[in-house]
Amino acid sequence: MKIYYEKDCNRSLIKQKRVVVIGYGSQGHAHANNLKDSGVNIKVALYKGSRSWKKAEVAGLKVEVIEKAIIDADIVVMLVPDELQKNIYYRYVENNIKSGAVLIFAHGFNVHYQQIEPRQDIDVVLVAPKAPGHTVRTTYMQGGGVPSLIAIYKDNSGKAKDIALSYASAIGCGKTGIIQTTFKEETETDLFGEQAVLCGGVSALITAGFEVLVEAGYSAEMAYFECLHELKLIVDLIYEGGLGDMRYSISNTAEYGDYVSGHKIINNDTKKNMKTLLENIQNGKFAKDFIIEKKTGFTLLKTKRRINSEHKIEKVGKVLRSMMPLICKNKIIDKNKN
């Protein structure tokens, strides 16, 4: 596997292009601001009346309605949520993007599952930073970057890969590493990681651990610290040096407990469920279910948000975090700005 760095990227390529970022959410605000700070001719495209319009203007970015912004764009970057991309592409992009332009995605969902079939006369590439947008932005502002994946779906110009590398470099990823993959591999591994481990798995594990301690009569505050708050300390060690460094740092008691108890929680039955989950991603079932969920107005999503916001772990956590000013002061997410 080849990893590309700054020396492999021609940053001047992206600086010669007119780039339009559609969307100003988590990834949108990060890409747009990083590109601007890298000296790229960047414009944000939003629908009229978007709540993000003022946020983008306050950040010093040019903003226009989507259909007008992309007419003369050399590069159009699709950074709205997955469920909105199909409608936006066919309503605004397909008939307005110029021949020979480059269409960039940060996630392969809509292309891989054939929700969007891009025009034949444009290049289509993937530039997918391996971090939430807010981390992409804060890491760039600190002088660093996050790793990124790139993939090529259509290369009519013969220069699609060079453009993808140049773009990835301009948002900071060349400082950490850029790996080439495919739309299929990025989409399926990303969905699996989110559901089985990073979001679904971790959230369920934290909540279950919290509930077990509280139901056994321990205080909610102690349960919060043990099952949620201290997780960051462990993840930081893993992030910096893998599982080995984490086990080197913790006590012998904790390491022994890791070996004798971990597989009692995450066991062969868990792996079987993970394999079923992966199969549903590979055969398109998850994508179909998600598309149906969108058509029903996100009934399940909204219900789960409400239920989870009312869970005791969220309520006690809000109180405890308010007692730790450094956490509140250095929050990555500021909903008024990003």
Side-chain angles (χ1 to χ4, degrees):
M1 177 181 291
K2 181 172 175 55
I3 302 177
Y4 301 91
Y5 295 97
E6 287 289 279
K7 62 181 177 60
D8 304 305
C9 307
N10 184 355
R11 184 81 68 90
S12 66
L13 288 178
I14 198 74
K15 290 185 177 181
Q16 298 168 15
K17 306 294 184 180
R18 289 166 293 190
V19 181
V20 171
V21 170
I22 302 177
Y24 198 72
S26 177
Q27 289 290 340
H29 96 277
H31 288 230
N33 282 286
N34 289 6
L35 290 167
K36 175 174 70 71
D37 291 348
S38 292
V40 176
N41 180 2
I42 173 70
K43 187 181 295 182
V44 173
L46 299 170
Y47 62 84
K48 190 173 183 179
S50 169
R51 291 180 295 177
S52 298
W53 195 294
K54 187 174 182 180
K55 291 181 184 180
E57 287 185 329
V58 169
L61 292 157
K62 300 175 184 176
V63 189
E64 279 187 342
V65 292
I66 301 171
E67 59 271 33
K68 183 178 179 182
I70 67 175
I71 289 176
D72 62 349
D74 300 305
I75 297 174
V76 175
V77 192
M78 186 72 78
L79 294 178
V80 293
D82 290 331
E83 67 272 14
L84 302 179
Q85 290 186 14
K86 179 179 180 180
N87 179 60
I88 286 176
Y89 175 79
Y90 287 109
R91 182 175 180 180
Y92 299 114
V93 178
E94 186 178 45
N95 294 325
N96 290 312
I97 189 170
K98 68 182 185 181
S99 180
V102 182
L103 180 61
I104 296 180
F105 292 86
H107 183 34
F109 184 97
N110 278 278
V111 172
H112 177 56
Y113 291 117
Q114 299 178 324
Q115 295 301 296
I116 293 176
E117 297 184 13
R119 260 178 29 202
Q120 294 298 317
D121 60 337
I122 60 175
D123 287 356
V124 181
V125 305
L126 174 83
V127 180
K130 297 310 294 174
H134 296 93
T135 305
V136 174
R137 179 58 180 158
T138 55
T139 305
Y140 178 95
M141 292 172 69
Q142 293 164 356
V146 303
S148 179
L149 303 177
I150 62 167
I152 313 303
Y153 184 74
K154 290 184 186 296
D155 184 12
N156 295 309
S157 68
K159 300 177 181 178
K161 182 176 177 179
D162 293 335
I163 291 294
L165 287 170
S166 184
Y167 182 95
S169 170
I171 60 173
C173 302
K175 295 179 179 179
T176 309
I178 304 164
I179 299 171
Q180 186 166 357
T181 182
T182 64
F183 272 70
K184 178 182 187 296
E185 186 174 50
E186 185 278 333
T187 302
E188 294 178 357
T189 57
D190 186 73
L191 291 175
F192 177 81
E194 290 170 348
Q195 294 172 42
V197 182
L198 304 176
C199 304
V202 168
S203 297
L205 188 64
I206 290 171
T207 305
F210 176 88
E211 290 174 348
V212 166
L213 286 177
V214 172
E215 290 166 6
Y218 298 100
S219 70
E221 290 79 9
M222 286 298 297
Y224 179 87
F225 277 120
E226 292 300 330
C227 297
L228 190 152
H229 178 80
E230 292 189 24
L231 182 64
K232 182 185 185 311
L233 309 179
I234 298 300
V235 169
D236 283 350
L237 295 173
I238 296 171
Y239 179 80
E240 291 177 2
L243 296 173
D245 269 18
M246 179 272 287
R247 287 168 175 151
Y248 175 83
S249 178
I250 60 179
S251 68
N252 288 336
T253 313
E255 186 179 4
Y256 176 76
D258 173 351
Y259 298 142
V260 301
S261 300
H263 289 288
K264 295 177 183 177
I265 307 301
I266 308 300
N267 51 36
N268 287 333
D269 287 338
T270 311
K271 286 187 68 174
K272 288 179 183 177
N273 290 334
M274 285 184 173
K275 289 177 180 178
T276 299
L277 186 156
L278 179 58
E279 289 171 3
N280 288 337
I281 290 170
Q282 292 171 328
N283 63 28
K285 182 181 184 303
F286 170 78
K288 291 176 183 177
D289 290 345
F290 180 71
I291 292 164
I292 292 171
E293 170 71 2
K294 190 259 183 182
K295 290 179 179 178
T296 62
F298 288 115
T299 304
L300 175 65
L301 196 64
K302 291 175 181 177
T303 300
K304 290 293 186 180
R305 281 176 183 168
R306 178 183 56 79
I307 292 172
N308 289 330
S309 69
E310 296 170 356
H311 194 284
K312 194 168 187 177
I313 196 172
E314 294 286 25
K315 294 181 178 179
V316 71
K318 185 175 183 180
V319 173
L320 292 175
R321 289 191 297 273
S322 71
M323 298 164 57
M324 296 177 273
L326 283 178
I327 291 179
C328 299
K329 181 180 179 181
N330 297 316
K331 284 188 68 176
I332 293 174
I333 297 174
D334 182 344
K335 294 180 181 179
N336 293 320
K337 296 179 180 178
N338 55 29

